[in-house]
Amino acid sequence: MATYRIGVLYGDGIGPEIVQSAVEVLDEAVRKTGLAKFDFVTLPMGWEAIRRHGDPMPQTTKDALKETHGWIMGPHDSVSYPPEFRDRRNPSGELRHCFDLYSNVRPARTIPGVPSVAGEADLVIFRENTEGFYSDRNMYTGSGEWHVSEDIVISSGVFTRKAITRIAHEAFRMARRRRKKVTVVHKANVIRLGSGLFLMVCREVAKEYPDVTVDDCHIDAVTVHLVRRMRDFDVMVTENMFGDILTDLAAELAGSLGMAPSINNNENQAMAQAVHGSAPDIAGKNVANPCGILFSAVMLLNWLADRYNDDSLAELARIMEQGVMKTLEDGVRTRDIGGTATTTAFTKAVRQRIAGA
Ligand code: ATP
């Protein structure tokens, strides 16, 4: 049986609470099934790394991640870091950039037992992760922004055929496994060249997938359509900043930001990361919803199953996901989704359901 080396980065705010939950639930699934072996490698990131190494994303952490099969990343509270770190890429931006994790996959689906504003919906958003309107991703050195005078700043947006092509292929491949529909989200009517290239290249890639229907929509219009008829969408593909904003909206419409998972991946590495941030307002109170990171860990297992052609990991993912779903169906919920369960109580309930399955 193969052993998978998994990095664990607890991060800031609610990070230690939710990441611990993911490690415990994964451990429980392994204990119950004996389907795989994991070697968890804990690595410093965020405030802990600043205290120990003087850097929120130390080189030692990046070097150690190179030796893993994938990792679980907690959130970071980068706005609270000392001033010398605030002009740099934040820890997850740094890892996405360093490892060229170009694809950020963010599903938003309604789950039985979790109230949703959107009605029933099951959508996956592919967010291009390496360029676009996130200016700090666009430079080899520097921030991608220029202070022209005291009152004038220029921020860069970068769009390349290479990056658009690879994220478009990811989206179309996923659509083939689902309801075979891709919506390209852009603003080509105003940002004619950058967003125009995004739309044009996605349309070109679409020709290689004649079995998949493609349409496109302006970013502002899509927010309205999501609120009114989220159920009609299957797969969306968009640039970095549009994707960040759209996925928070989709997550909240589907239930709660605390429920929303993601992975960031290239062909060889994947990073599981909940969509939400470090939620400093509730940190340390044992009330955070761990579902976002739990479902992200499920996505990581499924990605590893595909990458290493290992069906036992897909089965482990199914067992873990079912454990979380059953817990929610049984009415065990954290505060953000209308319940009273603490983070640790929710985690325990999931473990009990996995153990008893
Ligand atoms: P970032 O910029 O890092 O994405 P943010 O400032 O946009 O972070 P979050 O930290 O995601 O915001 O928090 C937004 C709101 O959602 C806060 O009120 C927070 O308490 C709540 N929230 C976020 N994650 C969770 C969670 N896992 N469980 C419960 N509430 C959460």
Side-chain angles (χ1 to χ4, degrees):
M1 186 191 303
T3 299
Y4 294 92
R5 214 170 149 74
I6 303 293
V8 177
L9 292 81
Y10 284 95
D12 304 320
I14 59 173
E17 298 160 76
I18 58 166
V19 173
Q20 183 59 29
S21 169
V23 171
E24 285 179 22
V25 169
L26 193 48
D27 250 347
E28 189 67 57
V30 169
R31 205 180 357 258
K32 166 77 181 174
T33 61
L35 277 173
K37 278 194 185 146
F38 291 101
D39 192 0
F40 291 113
V41 188
T42 302
L43 297 164
M45 179 270 279
W47 268 109
E48 188 203 353
I50 292 173
R51 279 189 288 269
R52 284 172 53 191
H53 301 275
D55 188 331
M57 181 46 68
Q59 190 58 44
T60 47
T61 292
K62 288 186 260 185
D63 289 344
L65 288 174
K66 285 183 197 147
E67 307 303 318
T68 66
H69 292 87
W71 60 93
I72 301 173
M73 166 102 173
H76 44 75
D77 186 13
S78 33
V79 288
S80 73
Y81 296 167
E84 62 266 35
F85 302 117
R86 286 195 212 137
D87 285 344
R88 293 173 26 178
R89 272 188 286 273
N90 65 41
S92 63
E94 180 64 9
L95 291 182
R96 288 167 182 166
H97 182 82
C98 267
F99 287 90
D100 197 27
L101 301 171
Y102 62 84
S103 176
N104 188 195
V105 193
R106 295 184 158 188
R109 62 177 170 159
T110 46
I111 287 173
V114 180
S116 139
V117 195
E120 225 172 279
D122 180 4
L123 156 73
V124 182
I125 300 174
F126 280 79
R127 166 192 178 195
E128 203 292 319
N129 227 4
T130 61
E131 54 176 39
F133 292 126
Y134 267 20
S135 46
D136 66 340
R137 313 296 140 94
N138 295 334
M139 306 297 286
Y140 180 60
T141 53
S143 67
E145 294 193 292
W146 296 273
H147 222 147
V148 180
S149 73
E150 197 184 346
D151 298 324
I152 300 176
V153 167
I154 298 174
S155 294
S156 67
V158 168
F159 295 86
T160 63
R161 176 175 287 277
K162 178 187 165 197
I164 303 165
T165 303
R166 60 188 184 176
I167 193 68
H169 277 292
E170 293 277 311
F172 279 93
R173 272 197 293 269
M174 174 62 85
R176 271 199 170 147
R177 296 161 78 163
R178 294 171 46 93
R179 304 196 305 277
K180 297 190 171 54
K181 191 179 165 209
V182 171
T183 304
V184 182
V185 179
H186 63 93
K187 191 67 185 169
N189 55 334
V190 177
I191 302 152
R192 289 178 191 274
L193 298 183
S195 239
L197 185 71
F198 194 91
L199 175 60
M200 185 179 84
V201 173
C202 286
R203 287 260 177 212
E204 283 171 14
V205 170
K207 290 185 189 139
E208 295 178 43
Y209 301 82
D211 50 323
V212 177
T213 309
V214 61
D215 64 3
D216 68 271
C217 196
H218 296 151
I219 176 68
D220 44 348
V222 107
T223 60
V224 176
H225 297 318
L226 271 186
V227 173
R228 293 214 174 143
R229 50 178 191 91
M230 188 167 166
R231 71 178 64 220
D232 291 349
F233 294 100
D234 179 17
V235 173
M236 283 181 178
V237 60
T238 192
E239 70 88 36
N240 207 338
M241 187 167 69
F242 292 169
D244 196 16
I245 298 166
L246 209 53
T247 50
D248 267 24
L249 172 67
E252 198 59 35
L253 287 171
S256 158
L257 182 55
M259 301 287 300
S262 84
I263 58 165
N264 303 259
N265 69 278
N266 57 29
E267 282 76 17
N268 295 312
Q269 272 134 335
M271 163 168 105
Q273 184 183 33
V275 170
H276 61 75
S278 62
D281 52 333
I282 56 167
K285 296 184 177 157
N286 198 19
V287 295
N289 185 347
C291 288
I293 198 77
L294 289 170
F295 286 133
S296 304
V298 168
M299 289 179 78
L300 177 63
L301 291 177
N302 279 321
W303 182 88
L304 288 167
D306 279 350
R307 168 70 182 79
Y308 295 99
N309 204 10
D310 185 343
D311 290 344
S312 60
L313 291 179
E315 178 59 8
L316 204 61
R318 195 190 63 76
I319 285 165
M320 194 168 160
E321 184 172 54
Q322 282 309 110
V324 182
M325 295 286 212
K326 181 85 180 64
T327 306
L328 292 165
E329 270 173 41
D330 290 347
V332 184
R333 299 180 201 164
T334 45
R335 202 172 68 175
D336 59 313
I337 49 172
T340 55
T342 59
T343 313
T344 43
F346 186 87
T347 305
K348 190 172 169 199
V350 175
R351 291 179 58 176
Q352 281 167 344
R353 277 152 187 84
I354 291 173

